[in-house]
Amino acid sequence: MHKNFGRALRWFAATAVLLTGLSLPLPPRAQSPAQVPERKTSTPYTGDLSIFDVPGRDERLQVNRVMDLLGIEPGRSVADIGAGSGWFTVRAARRVTNSGRVYAVDINSEAIQFIEQRAKKEQLGNMKTILSKPDDPQLPPDSVDAVLLLKTYHEVTHPIALLRNLRPSLRAGAKVGIIDRNGTGENHGISKDVVIQEAGQAGYELRDTQDFVKGDGMDYFLIFTAKAH
């Protein structure tokens, strides 16, 4: 009888320890990389796209000089990432002539439709639209000689992934231009140093820095190329 009583006590004790362990709070789970928030960005513009076609913008931005530095010339293939209204797309399309091609890349389906209508209206058959993803421009492999992100980079939610996914589409010696203004990320601008750092992480090296794109000194023009593997 004493033996049976002892066994019962040991069983109850073991059960109590097990229940106590089950009631303890679990340690917090580590946050997965996908859940880690990236740096602050600005909300992409979704209003009237025609506002970008203001008189005098070509001269203020010195868009022909921009295209010269990116090597955009007849026969070249160009990607306009974050094309918006297609303001730069149509200018690049005229520069590369019918022997070249310009990809208008945007995550906004309304912008894509706007650009397609614009291409028909302006009779530019060398423009092709691409509805992209926030982290992937969806460009064909080995397809472009020059890329421009014009006042777009501060809106990119996954900048490093986007730039990495851009690399397979770049031809040998392709130049990637980023024009933006200094800011915090959420005020429609992003620090030049942040752009250079992120591009470096994505496998690019800085080739040139210009500040002629706006007279107030807030805007900058960076040119990158992909690092050799």
Side-chain angles (χ1 to χ4, degrees):
M1 180 176 178
H2 289 295
K3 290 181 180 179
N4 291 337
F5 182 70
R7 290 195 193 97
L9 283 177
R10 287 193 294 273
W11 182 84
F12 280 120
T15 303
V17 170
L18 177 62
L19 292 174
T20 301
L22 290 174
S23 65
L24 289 173
L26 293 173
R29 294 179 65 183
Q31 197 174 34
S32 68
Q35 294 172 313
V36 176
E38 297 206 27
R39 62 158 171 78
K40 294 178 179 179
T41 58
S42 302
T43 303
Y45 178 78
T46 56
D48 179 12
L49 292 170
S50 65
I51 68 166
F52 296 105
D53 288 87
V54 293
R57 192 181 185 197
D58 291 65
E59 292 74 23
R60 287 194 300 273
L61 184 63
Q62 298 188 50
V63 67
N64 286 325
R65 188 176 174 188
V66 168
M67 289 192 285
D68 288 343
L69 287 170
L70 289 176
I72 298 174
E73 56 190 32
R76 295 287 186 168
S77 181
V78 180
D80 180 8
I81 297 180
S85 70
W87 181 87
F88 178 72
T89 312
V90 298
R91 284 153 178 80
R94 295 190 190 109
R95 172 72 79 97
V96 300
T97 71
N98 289 334
S99 61
R101 167 163 284 190
V102 180
Y103 295 94
V105 181
D106 208 288
I107 61 172
N108 182 355
S109 59
E110 292 182 3
I112 293 298
Q113 292 173 10
F114 186 94
I115 294 170
E116 288 173 347
Q117 293 171 1
R118 183 170 189 167
K120 290 178 182 178
K121 182 180 178 181
E122 302 195 27
Q123 298 181 332
L124 292 168
N126 60 348
M127 288 169 52
K128 179 177 175 57
T129 57
I130 295 178
L131 182 62
S132 62
K133 297 179 180 180
D135 63 352
D136 191 341
Q138 301 279 285
L139 285 159
D142 194 34
S143 61
V144 292
D145 303 294
V147 179
L148 181 64
L149 288 86
L150 174 58
K151 300 295 184 74
T152 297
Y153 194 84
H154 60 265
E155 297 178 355
V156 179
T157 53
H158 304 288
I160 297 172
L162 178 80
L163 292 174
R164 282 177 178 158
N165 288 325
L166 170 65
R167 287 194 59 168
S169 68
L170 302 178
R171 293 173 177 167
K175 294 179 179 180
V176 178
I178 297 177
I179 294 177
D180 222 301
R181 63 183 293 275
N182 281 298
T184 63
E186 57 186 345
N187 65 346
H188 293 282
I190 184 70
S191 168
K192 176 174 65 175
D193 293 336
V194 170
V195 178
I196 295 171
Q197 179 184 17
E198 291 176 346
Q201 289 179 259
Y204 294 80
E205 53 189 350
L206 182 66
R207 292 294 187 180
D208 196 4
T209 304
Q210 299 285 342
D211 61 2
F212 64 81
V213 288
K214 202 170 182 182
D216 61 6
M218 289 294 291
D219 288 28
Y220 53 81
F221 176 26
L222 307 176
I223 300 176
F224 299 91
T225 57
K227 295 177 182 176
H229 289 290

